[in-house]
């Protein structure tokens, strides 16, 4: 089992920045990747970014490319999502998730709200 706890959400003006944190605990030795997803009101949950736990390689969705960056601090078992140049359409609940394989994400955090005002 892996537990994930997100933090760092809040209200920010358009053009501003936020950094979200995801504290990962439990069986991290079986973790293949940690990703960030988001779900806006009335919309499907969508993938934003992910980082492979061991190699650190990243994948970024086109919708946030150039603005969002994922990183990890292995010593703290924490994954960060740096979000810059935020837009009102980035408003969503942001979820951290961990997968034990490339096939799917097995564990999810409770989510943190990000609201971008225009």
């Amino acid at each position: 089992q892996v537990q994930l706890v997100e933090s760092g959400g809040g209200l920010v003006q358009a053009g501003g920045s936020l950094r979200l944190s995801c504290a990962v605990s439990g069986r991290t030795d079986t973790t293949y990747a940690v990703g960030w997803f988001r779900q806006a009101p009335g919309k499907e949950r969508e993938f934003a970014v992910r980082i492979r736990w061991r190699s650190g390689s990243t994948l970024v969705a086109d919708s946030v490319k150039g603005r969002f960056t994922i990183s990890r601090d292995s010593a703290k078992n924490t994954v960060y999502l740096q979000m810059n140049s935020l837009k009102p359409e980035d408003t969503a609940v942001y979820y951290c998730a961990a997968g034990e394989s490339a096939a799917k994400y097995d564990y999810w955090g409770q989510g943190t709200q990000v609201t971008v005002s225009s």
Side-chain angles (χ1 to χ4, degrees), residues 6-27:
E6 304 98 333
S7 61
L11 174 65
V12 63
Q13 287 190 331
S17 298
L18 272 179
R19 189 178 79 158
L20 306 182
S21 299
C22 175
V24 185
S25 61
R27 289 294 309 273

Side-chain angles (χ1 to χ4, degrees), residues 21-37:
S21 299
C22 175
V24 185
S25 61
R27 289 294 309 273
T28 58
D29 57 314
T30 62
T31 299
Y32 173 78
V34 174
W36 284 96
F37 293 74

Side-chain angles (χ1 to χ4, degrees), residues 14-97:
S17 298
L18 272 179
R19 189 178 79 158
L20 306 182
S21 299
C22 175
V24 185
S25 61
R27 289 294 309 273
T28 58
D29 57 314
T30 62
T31 299
Y32 173 78
V34 174
W36 284 96
F37 293 74
R38 63 185 184 179
Q39 187 165 19
K43 293 189 176 181
E44 299 271 328
R45 185 167 58 194
E46 68 167 349
F47 166 80
V49 296
R50 73 102 172 102
I51 187 165
R52 289 187 180 168
W53 192 248
R54 294 183 187 275
S55 70
S57 67
T58 63
L59 179 67
V60 183
D62 288 343
S63 59
V64 301
K65 193 166 289 183
R67 300 187 300 120
F68 288 15
T69 303
I70 188 171
S71 62
R72 78 188 191 298
D73 184 331
S74 299
K76 295 182 179 179
N77 277 354
T78 300
V79 174
Y80 302 100
L81 176 62
Q82 178 66 43
M83 305 185 293
N84 298 327
S85 302
L86 283 162
K87 306 173 182 179
E89 50 264 43
D90 294 318
T91 294
V93 177
Y94 283 71
Y95 297 92
C96 177

